[in-house]
Amino acid sequence: MNELLNNWVQKVPGIAGYEAQLSAGLSVLTVLIGASLSYYLVKSVLIRLISKLIDKSKSNLDDILVKHRVFNRLTYLVPGWLIYKLMPVALQAYPTSSLIISTLSSIFLVLAATMVADCLINSLVEIYRTIERERQIAIQSFAQVAKLVLYFLAAIVIISLIIGESPLKLFAGLGAMTAVLMLVFKDPILGFVAGLQLSYNKMVSLGDWVDIPQHDASGDVMEIGLTTVKVRNFDNTITTVPTQNLVTDSFKNWRGMQDSAGRRIKRSIVIDINSIGFCDKEQIARFSKVDYIKDYLDQIIQELDQFNQKTVKDPESMANGRRITNIGTFRAYILAYLKKHPDVNQDLTVMVRQLAATESGVPLEIYAFSAVKEWAAYEAIQSDIFDHLFAVAGEFDLKVFQKPAGSDLSKLV
């Protein structure tokens, strides 16, 4: 190319003594025009062709590559490579200028390749998120480490190009800076190690409902990064928690509940001790009309009669033998009610137990599992159960304890 331009320049009149400069200038201009044409040609023809092929593809994976502009970034490599290869030829008469332009074009190629790699990492992260396993292993922290290493290597290469030394020599000199690097990158290193532990031990995954009281966070995990974990709270605020804190501090993960067959109901009704007593015949006759405990009463009456006939000498005293109590009957009613409830999972534990008496009364604890795990529906089911139990307690001549209010005390006056 230089010979052709030199022959043509020598035929141009009036430029005697400037043939070399004109020839070099025309060579540089030709290379720049060629690089520009190659960029627009690749972008307008090749990228459009690739886009059309991707539109016809049934897979969504290649659409992700287009979304993150991987192919668009590749177009920068073509003009950069042409300038890197052809400029030294065009400026062979000017070695200093040739070296400067070669260095700049090399730096441009490194930056362009880094941009392509960055977009490719983003694409791989999004592709991975389409896989169900993403709930088990969060890849975001590993992607951030890969980017950190990528830009670190790019910076080393660029510095080596500027100073004209091999990158290996720079890496050898980094040994003395290890302590400084450890201090500078302390948080990313700790976050990376914590991310490995979280992923390997399956402590937390994207979408998990977590409670982190130390940071006032309660909600769904929306991102697990290299140094931070983002939690979207139920009031739609976002709490950012250092990743290593999830390893060093305690937190509650509700994933086990979400993956189980039900959500636990564990709540007590406190019965006033003064309302507890033995059941007389009138009460037993009234309780026998309740469908849920009719069979229970028939069975327990027969069992107690057989026991008392064998052991009791004086049946007139209520203290002798075994007797039916209203709280025991109410406990049997609650259990039968839960066993028949359509929203209680009967495959899991269903239990009603009496806890130790307190100064407030005798607690009857309901321990069961809702078949519905969605929060609002679960709360509605739990509320309906206890609405019914609070209302029906009076049918068993029991009083639910509550501390006296001002209106209660005014009645004593």
Side-chain angles (χ1 to χ4, degrees):
M1 180 180 67
N2 285 346
E3 294 181 358
L4 293 175
L5 287 175
N6 287 332
N7 293 332
W8 180 81
V9 167
Q10 290 177 359
K11 297 178 181 180
V12 177
I15 59 167
Y18 296 97
E19 293 87 351
Q21 292 86 340
L22 181 59
S23 177
L26 291 174
S27 298
V28 170
L29 182 61
T30 303
V31 171
L32 293 177
I33 293 174
S36 301
L37 290 175
S38 67
Y39 171 76
Y40 288 107
L41 183 65
V42 171
K43 189 171 184 178
S44 60
V45 178
L46 185 59
I47 298 301
R48 286 185 180 180
L49 178 61
I50 293 175
S51 299
K52 289 181 180 180
L53 293 175
I54 289 175
D55 291 338
K56 295 180 180 179
S57 174
K58 297 180 180 179
S59 174
N60 293 328
L61 302 182
D62 44 16
D63 295 330
I64 295 176
L65 296 176
V66 173
K67 174 184 174 181
H68 289 280
R69 303 174 63 84
V70 174
F71 300 110
N72 288 341
R73 294 290 186 264
L74 285 171
T75 58
Y76 293 112
L77 294 174
V78 178
W81 183 82
L82 287 176
I83 292 174
Y84 174 75
K85 283 294 184 181
L86 297 180
M87 276 300 184
V89 178
L91 295 173
Q92 59 184 357
Y94 302 92
T96 303
S97 300
S98 176
L99 178 61
I100 293 173
I101 294 179
S102 296
T103 302
L104 292 176
S105 58
S106 299
I107 293 173
F108 177 81
L109 286 173
V110 172
L111 292 175
T114 303
M115 292 170 61
V116 172
D118 184 283
C119 295
L120 189 59
I121 291 173
N122 292 334
S123 302
L124 292 176
V125 169
E126 186 166 343
I127 291 172
Y128 181 75
R129 284 178 175 171
T130 62
I131 304 174
E132 181 63 23
R133 190 173 177 82
E134 163 64 9
R135 276 191 52 84
Q136 301 179 12
I137 301 177
I139 199 176
Q140 184 66 32
S141 59
F142 300 102
Q144 290 177 340
V145 170
K147 287 185 179 182
L148 186 63
V149 173
L150 173 67
Y151 285 109
F152 179 74
L153 293 177
I156 292 295
V157 173
I158 290 174
I159 293 173
S160 67
L161 290 173
I162 294 174
I163 65 177
E165 295 288 347
S166 171
L168 297 178
K169 291 184 177 180
L170 292 179
F171 279 114
L174 289 176
M177 298 180 61
T178 302
V180 177
L181 292 175
M182 290 290 289
L183 181 62
V184 173
F185 296 105
K186 180 189 70 172
D187 290 338
I189 292 172
L190 291 176
F192 176 64
V193 175
L196 289 176
Q197 290 180 282
L198 292 175
S199 299
Y200 180 78
N201 297 319
K202 299 179 181 179
M203 297 169 64
V204 66
S205 302
L206 292 180
D208 285 355
W209 171 13
V210 297
D211 283 336
I212 311 174
Q214 300 91 331
H215 298 275
D216 196 22
S218 179
D220 298 328
V221 177
M222 58 182 297
E223 181 180 313
I224 302 177
L226 179 60
T227 57
T228 59
V229 173
K230 292 183 180 179
V231 179
R232 182 182 295 278
N233 301 307
F234 293 120
D235 59 358
N236 285 328
T237 59
I238 296 175
T239 301
T240 302
V241 181
T243 306
Q244 61 266 25
N245 282 21
L246 295 182
V247 177
T248 58
D249 298 335
S250 63
F251 69 97
K252 181 184 290 186
N253 192 334
W254 293 84
R255 185 200 309 158
M257 179 276 295
Q258 293 172 328
D259 294 340
S260 67
R263 186 166 180 176
R264 189 181 69 175
I265 299 173
K266 185 182 179 183
R267 188 181 292 182
S268 299
I269 294 179
V270 181
I271 303 299
D272 189 340
I273 294 179
N274 294 321
S275 65
I276 299 174
F278 293 117
C279 295
D280 56 27
K281 293 182 179 180
E282 185 273 329
Q283 286 177 309
I284 293 176
R286 179 157 47 88
F287 297 160
S288 296
K289 297 179 181 180
V290 179
D291 291 337
Y292 284 143
I293 55 174
K294 183 177 181 180
D295 294 337
Y296 161 78
L297 285 175
D298 292 340
Q299 179 183 351
I300 196 67
I301 290 173
Q302 182 180 359
E303 179 184 331
L304 294 185
D305 287 343
Q306 292 176 356
F307 177 83
N308 291 335
Q309 288 175 5
K310 295 179 181 179
T311 60
V312 177
K313 295 181 180 180
D314 184 6
E316 295 298 326
S317 175
M318 298 296 289
N320 293 331
R322 295 170 59 190
R323 308 287 178 177
I324 298 176
T325 62
N326 57 351
I327 190 172
T329 306
F330 183 50
R331 181 159 45 86
Y333 171 83
I334 296 175
L335 183 60
Y337 174 77
L338 294 175
K339 290 285 188 181
K340 296 292 185 179
H341 200 290
D343 292 319
V344 173
N345 192 327
Q346 305 301 326
D347 295 329
L348 300 176
T349 302
V350 180
M351 178 175 62
V352 181
R353 62 175 181 166
Q354 185 180 125
L355 302 180
T358 68
E359 65 275 9
S360 299
V362 179
L364 289 182
E365 183 183 78
I366 286 80
Y367 191 98
F369 289 85
S370 165
V372 179
K373 292 175 287 186
E374 196 270 324
W375 192 7
Y378 159 79
E379 292 292 350
I381 293 168
Q382 183 173 230
S383 298
D384 287 342
I385 290 174
F386 281 89
D387 288 347
H388 176 79
L389 297 181
F390 284 128
V392 81
E395 297 293 322
F396 294 88
D397 301 324
L398 293 169
K399 293 182 179 179
V400 178
F401 177 85
Q402 67 175 8
K403 293 182 179 181
S407 58
D408 298 319
L409 296 177
S410 64
K411 295 177 182 178
L412 301 176
V413 179

